[in-house]
Amino acid sequence: MAEDLRTALNRALCDELDAALSRIHHCVGQLTDAQVWWRPPEGTNAIGNLILHLAGNIRQMIHANLTGAADVRDRPAEFAARDAAPKDALLATLASAVALARDAITAATDERLTERRRVNNFDWTGIEAAVRSVAHFRGHTQEIIHITRTVLGDAYQFAGAR
């Protein structure tokens, strides 16, 4: 039974990451590089910042936490960036981070998943950190969809629409 539960947990977490990544690709694919770095009002985040932030978050909360890799995240830099990278480079960074997270989730030992560790000023188990990070990823994905729809207006293409 534990193996079945573990397989279901792995699949659910990884499927959520993949689905959100697909939505982000869909949105960013409709935008120019300049639109990816557009800010509604100054003081808010551009899609580019959100992508850097998501990559940093899942590298820290999932990959480093579940593998024991060094946490080298620079969270302030994620939000300070301005026109830092073209959209294709941003998407490649995010896809790489998702792949690392997927690998960490599927390879994590039961000990790593249930052990409490200090992550981002919280004492969480590996499962708690992974679940919270995936929920965080989904939340910002919805924000990216909203910003894309705001930028494109009627030109926005819904997923599956032609």
Side-chain angles (χ1 to χ4, degrees):
M1 174 135 160
E3 185 174 271
D4 292 341
L5 177 60
R6 178 64 182 277
T7 300
L9 173 65
N10 291 352
R11 185 176 39 257
L13 292 171
C14 292
D15 285 354
E16 281 298 308
L17 285 172
D18 289 343
L21 179 62
S22 175
R23 296 302 305 265
I24 292 170
H25 270 276
H26 171 76
C27 287
V28 172
Q30 297 178 63
L31 300 170
T32 66
D33 288 336
Q35 289 170 323
V36 167
W37 288 102
W38 173 81
R39 294 172 187 291
E42 190 58 38
T44 60
N45 294 308
I47 289 172
N49 297 107
L50 294 172
I51 290 172
L52 293 173
H53 175 63
L54 289 172
N57 179 271
I58 62 173
R59 278 195 176 110
Q60 177 186 49
M61 300 281 287
I62 299 177
H63 178 256
N65 185 26
L66 293 181
T67 67
D71 175 9
V72 296
R73 183 180 186 191
D74 182 358
R75 189 175 188 275
E78 298 161 11
F79 296 108
R82 299 290 187 269
D83 301 322
K87 66 181 188 176
D88 292 341
L90 290 169
L91 290 173
T93 296
L94 187 58
S96 172
V98 168
L100 287 172
R102 287 177 55 84
D103 290 347
I105 289 166
T106 57
T109 63
D110 289 350
E111 238 178 35
R112 272 316 246 186
L113 288 170
T114 56
E115 178 184 21
R116 287 201 171 277
R117 282 180 299 288
R118 192 84 172 152
V119 182
N120 231 7
N121 298 320
F122 297 98
D123 290 317
W124 286 335
T125 65
I127 292 171
E128 287 171 321
V131 168
R132 288 170 190 266
S133 183
V134 171
H136 173 261
F137 198 96
R138 268 302 200 174
H140 281 307
T141 298
Q142 291 305 123
E143 189 176 1
I144 290 168
I145 292 167
H146 176 74
I147 294 169
T148 302
R149 292 185 69 185
T150 298
V151 168
L152 295 177
D154 290 341
Y156 177 80
Q157 295 285 316
F158 288 90
R162 298 275 180 235

